[in-house]
């Protein structure tokens, strides 16, 4: 067995992993105990990386050779790499020649390596001469970039992970770190345990698992963050809690800000934010008077039409109180993707240049042009993500190159995005997974490597650069992303600048040497810049491990914290206060759309689920798509858990089950960002296929950062009158599960509502050999569909044979099918279909998914009605993925645990082992301990609508 150090491809914490492999097979993964980001810890997603890399289902999802569609809608056909790259070069060269460089666009990803990013940026801006290159980091981190630059002078997070151990006050806002950054959250829990005096403030419209650890929870109204921060500063000024010496010595612009926040009185802030004056005062006092205050923030601030203002207003608080440039203090933006920071370093956005240079600065453009060996770099800012797809929808951009991202799932306002992909004359999708929704729109598909196969570098949230190493060779004909871009560039150079020296002198045949050459060029571009890494080398990263920037030539280590001397990377060396007045949401609630829809992450899933969505065990914690509402809102509308509702915004509509969630405020709704059309679909009344949650979200964006307001859309929620329902589920052989899912997904558009998800028997992580794969389909319609459609679903789930029991009542539109099979000494239910009458789902689904003995039931499986002929006890919903521990088992064990909450948690873990491996379930375990203890608090009252 071989062990290869690398990094996790998920969130921006940048965890180190050790990949275990044998030959071309990844066999295991564990946290790297020597990596300073995680010291051996991994979350549920990270600890299952080897399963998502090598499961039979995942292997079937891989794109393994170049494919071409002669006509849109046709099945793509294989073609050789040389022909594929020549075709792409011909089409792009023709487009540039006939319509100009800005008629093409590149949309890339924060999951690319820094070397991939660098080459794509040089390809667009240096060779083609267009700034139309943007990234899905625009949806993630661009407001954080703009906020840092506007106040501190550069896109450089000043804090580090170790600061959580020095902080005396932790201010978490717009982040459910317990789910989105679980490994960092473990460090926060450790720091809290070591320092019980630490104050934790959490501001969030939802009472998330992160809020569960708060000493002070501020359930603010969506979009009210700027008002909250300005109100806190108002109180700090009034009470004399600001540091006037620091303000005078190290900042500018405070007088304008002081005049602005005069209007943010406690009473007005309380009204706008929906919190009490007392809580506002406490938050301001704890923040300002603490010896060290650290802010952690993420998409709640970034994904907003006021994103830059939110980031800057929070940084204002740190500058006003001198809570920056010392251990445990500073504004620390948590990166959403594994290498969004690396992309920012190389200028991989439509308005940036390499090494944090500004496109608008002629001197910066000249520096980059000289480095690249071109006459100049175009000065006109390129189209950002939303603008790029709008331009393609309008016919302005003719050719699109999409790499390592899935805009047909992740972009807001899916109707516009899909119109753009349809109207663009030539679409290239460079991707590892053929199942990404965007692949369906590609004229040319190019197979890329993915985690475990790539080589290069990434940078995490704390400015730490790590080496990524390949553990196994690329499968099929897949190539590295940077190498594909280089080989395409060579073809394009022959057409756009024949006879001239190449701009891309990197050896694509020798992966490590080529990546090193690209990185060395990037390193040179940073010389003298705020992120100077000329003191680092490829060999140093290889031998000494991850390093932080800046680390200029002559330095032996990078800097853990920035601005300790109070000098900032601005013209005068001073930080700048940014005076931003609170602005309402781009789309506030109103009578026709009375709910605020927020989107966010699930604990065990990642983005569009092209990787995590292949693993049934990762659906255990949240099994199916749903929208959550406060129980009172559901009661007022006569809704019950599982009812189908139509959620409608000004852009689109979806049908989805509803679930009660008391963590929400009144008139608020929440839906996970992951549910795209691969898992949730149906057809509209006009016959269009529904496109998942982002059919609803708005493309309105922050005017400075151009980041869209994915965190809020005004919606209405109405009960969907779809009386005919279907539930179909079955265990399938792993080698056939993906094909069945794809075929079932194609049928989803024939129903007004349909969902299709994998499930598993969720064996403990240490025993994956017993894990089975299943597929679950739900559908609903106004009336019974043709029998042939239901029969097709049955056949895809293996229920068409003579071994299947059947019942049909054509008059009532009801139909049942059940297949039994012998498993050792036990007969189990292997597949079932309930059509028309799904009331028996409760016990039949449990019987199948938990593989309970079914030999006693026989034809009773087909009897209509909800009541089981004998008691069927469900194990409950999985809470701990690592050890397959359910909520029912936890509740049962807690009934026999005694002492303090900490004692009861320890006893629980001793019995069931839950939360003792990756720890992702610890916040939920602690919540369950608190809610069942002798001092359990009463449920918080519903948040009032202001």
């Amino acid at each position: 067995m071989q062990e290869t150090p690398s990094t996790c491809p998920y969130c921006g914490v940048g965890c180190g992993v050790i990949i275990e492999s044998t030959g071309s097979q990844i066999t295991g993964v564990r946290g790297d105990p020597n990596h300073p980001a995680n010291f051996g810890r991994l979350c549920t997603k990270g600890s299952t990386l080897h399963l998502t890399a090598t499961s039979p289902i995942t292997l079937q999802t891989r794109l393994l050779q170049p494919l071409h569609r002669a006509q849109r809608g046709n099945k793509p056909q294989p073609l050789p790499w040389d022909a594929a790259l020549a075709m792409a070069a011909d089409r792009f060269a023709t487009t540039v020649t006939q319509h100009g460089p800005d008629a093409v666009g590149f949309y890339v990803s924060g999951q690319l390596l820094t070397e991939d990013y660098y080459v794509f940026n040089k390809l667009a801006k240096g060779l083609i001469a267009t700034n139309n290159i943007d990234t899905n980091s625009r949806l993630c981190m661009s407001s954080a970039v703009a906020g840092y630059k506007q106040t501190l002078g550069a896109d450089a997070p000043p804090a580090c992970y170790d600061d959580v151990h020095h902080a005396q006050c932790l201010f978490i806002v717009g982040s459910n770190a317990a789910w989105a950054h679980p490994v960092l959250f473990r460090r926060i829990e450790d720091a809290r345990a070591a320092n019980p005096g630490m104050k934790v403030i959490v501001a969030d419209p939802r009472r998330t698992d992160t809020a569960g650890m708060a000493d002070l929870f501020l359930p603010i109204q969506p979009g009210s963050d700027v008002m909250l921060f300005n109100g806190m500063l108002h109180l700090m000024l009034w009470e004399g809690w600001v540091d006037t010496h620091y303000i005078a010595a190290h900042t500018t612009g405070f007088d304008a800000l002081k005049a602005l926040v005069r209007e943010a009185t406690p009473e007005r802030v309380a009204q706008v934010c929906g919190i009490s004056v007392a809580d506002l005062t406490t938050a301001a006092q704890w923040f300002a008077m603490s010896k060290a205050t650290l802010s952690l923030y993420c998409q709640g601030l970034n994904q907003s039409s006021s994103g830059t203002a939110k980031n800057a207003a929070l940084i204002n608080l740190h500058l006003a109180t001198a809570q920056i440039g010392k251990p445990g203090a500073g504004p620390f933006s948590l990166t959403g993707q594994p290498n969004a920071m690396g992309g920012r370093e190389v200028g991989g956005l439509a308005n940036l240049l390499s090494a944090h240079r500004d496109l608008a600065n002629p001197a910066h453009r000249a520096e980059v042009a000289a480095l690249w060996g071109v006459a100049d770099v175009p000065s006109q800012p390129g189209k950002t993500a939303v603008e790029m797809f709008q331009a393609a929808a309008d016919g302005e951009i003719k050719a699109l190159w999409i790499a390592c991202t899935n805009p047909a799932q992740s972009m807001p306002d899916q109707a516009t995005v899909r119109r753009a992909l349809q109207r663009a004359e030539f679409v290239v999708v460079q991707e590892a997974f053929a199942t990404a929704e965007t692949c369906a729109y590609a004229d040319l598909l190019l197979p890329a490597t993915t985690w475990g196969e790539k080589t290069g570098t990434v940078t995490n949230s704390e400015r730490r650069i790590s080496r990524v190493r390949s553990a196994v060779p690329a499968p099929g004909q897949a190539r590295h992303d940077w190498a594909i871009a280089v080989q395409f560039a060579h073809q394009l150079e022959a057409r756009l600048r024949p006879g001239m020296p190449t701009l891309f002198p990197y050896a694509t045949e020798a992966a490590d040497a080529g990546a090193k050459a690209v990185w060395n060029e990037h390193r040179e571009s940073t010389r003298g810049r705020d992120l100077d890494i000329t003191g680092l080398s490829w060999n140093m990263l290889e031998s000494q491990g991850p390093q932080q920037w800046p680390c200029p030539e002559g330095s032996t280590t990078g800097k853990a914290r920035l601005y300790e001397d109070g000098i900032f990377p601005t013209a005068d060396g001073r930080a700048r206060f940014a005076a931003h007045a609170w602005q309402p949401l781009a789309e506030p609630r109103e009578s026709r759309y009375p709910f605020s829809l927020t989107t966010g992450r699930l604990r065990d899933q990642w983005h569009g689920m092209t990787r995590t969505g292949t693993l049934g065990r990762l659906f255990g914690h949240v099994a199916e798509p749903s929208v959550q509402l406060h129980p009172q809102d559901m009661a007022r509308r006569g809704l019950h858990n599982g009812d189908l509702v139509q959620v409608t915004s000004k852009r689109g509509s979806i049908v989805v089950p509803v679930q009660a969630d008391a963590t929400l405020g009144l008139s608020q709704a929440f839906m996970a960002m992951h549910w795209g059309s691969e898992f949730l679909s149906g057809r509209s009344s006009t016959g269009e296929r529904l496109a998942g949650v982002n059919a609803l979200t708005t493309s309105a964006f922050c005017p400075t950062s151009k980041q869209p307001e994915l965190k809020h859309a005004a919606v209405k929620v109405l009960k969907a009158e779809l009386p005919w329902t279907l539930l179909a589920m079955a265990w399938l052989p792993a080698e056939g599960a993906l094909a069945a899912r794809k075929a079932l997904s194609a049928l989803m558009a024939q129903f007004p509502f349909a969902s299709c998800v994998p499930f598993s028997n969720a064996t403990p992580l240490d025993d994956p050999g017993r894990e089975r794969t299943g597929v679950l389909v739900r559908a609903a319609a106004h009336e019974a569909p043709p029998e042939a459609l239901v029969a097709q679903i049955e056949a895809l789930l293996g229920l068409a044979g003579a071994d299947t029991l059947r019942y049909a009542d054509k008059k009532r539109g009801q139909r049942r099918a059940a297949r039994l099979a012998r498993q050792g000494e036990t007969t189990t239910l292997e597949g079932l279909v309930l059509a028309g009458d799904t009331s028996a789902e409760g016990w039949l689904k449990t019987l199948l998914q938990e593989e309970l003995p079914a030999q006693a039931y026989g034809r009773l499986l087909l009897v209509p009605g909800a009541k089981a002929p004998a008691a069927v006890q469900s194990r409950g919903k999985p809470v701990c993925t690592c050890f397959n521990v359910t909520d029912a088992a936890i509740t049962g064990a807690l009934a026999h645990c005694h002492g303090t909450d900490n004692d009861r948690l320890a006893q629980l873990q001793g019995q069931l082992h839950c939360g003792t491996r990756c720890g992702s379930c610890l916040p939920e375990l602690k919540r369950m301990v608190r809610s069942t203890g002798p001092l359990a608090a009463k449920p918080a009252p519903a948040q009032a609508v202001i």
Side-chain angles (χ1 to χ4, degrees), residues 381-464:
K383 301 290 187 186
T384 61
V386 170
E387 296 169 323
M388 185 181 297
F389 283 92
Q390 184 64 61
D394 293 341
E396 181 181 343
I397 288 180
K398 313 289 184 182
L400 281 169
W401 192 298
I402 299 164
C404 193
T405 187
N406 191 16
Q409 189 274 336
S410 59
M411 286 284 292
D413 187 9
Q414 279 292 300
T416 298
V417 172
R418 295 180 179 220
R419 187 167 67 250
L421 293 168
Q422 290 164 347
R423 185 167 184 187
E425 295 174 5
F426 190 64
V427 176
V428 179
V429 174
Q430 181 173 317
E431 180 56 78
F433 299 98
T435 50
E437 287 98 322
T438 309
C439 291
Y441 298 89
D443 298 290
L444 185 64
L445 285 157
L446 302 178
T449 53
T450 185
W451 177 84
E453 304 153 8
K454 296 171 74 71
T455 183
T457 62
V458 295
T459 309
N460 71 0
S461 293
E462 62 171 357
R463 298 171 279 104
R464 190 177 297 277

Side-chain angles (χ1 to χ4, degrees), residues 108-146:
V108 297
S109 168
Q111 289 159 270
L112 291 174
L113 304 188
T114 301
E115 295 71 26
D116 305 326
Y117 249 129
Y118 185 88
V119 172
F120 268 114
N121 199 40
K122 188 177 184 180
L123 165 64
K125 296 171 182 174
L127 173 57
I128 298 177
T130 180
N131 289 318
N132 284 348
I133 176 168
D134 215 47
T135 162
N136 59 16
S137 297
R138 181 71 62 183
L139 315 182
C140 172
M141 300 309 302
S142 53
S143 292
V145 173

Side-chain angles (χ1 to χ4, degrees), residues 143-144 146-147 150 223-227 229 299-314 580-586 700-710:
S143 292
Q150 196 172 91
S224 63
D225 309 75
V226 171
M227 182 62 79
F229 304 148
Q299 304 310 345
L301 297 195
N302 295 341
Q303 291 179 333
S304 168
S305 56
S306 298
T308 303
K310 289 182 179 183
N311 277 263
L314 177 57
H580 289 285
W582 171 74
Q583 299 290 333
L585 293 157
F701 52 69
C702 169
T704 303
S705 71
K706 306 294 181 75
Q707 182 160 358
E709 191 157 83
L710 281 162

Side-chain angles (χ1 to χ4, degrees), residues 211-241:
M213 78 176 312
D215 298 291
L216 176 63
F217 173 52
L218 303 175
I220 61 174
Q221 287 291 302
S224 63
D225 309 75
V226 171
M227 182 62 79
L228 172 67
F229 304 148
N230 286 352
M232 290 171 67
L233 184 55
H234 177 107
L235 281 165
M236 292 173 187
L237 285 163
W238 182 264
E239 299 292 344
W241 294 335

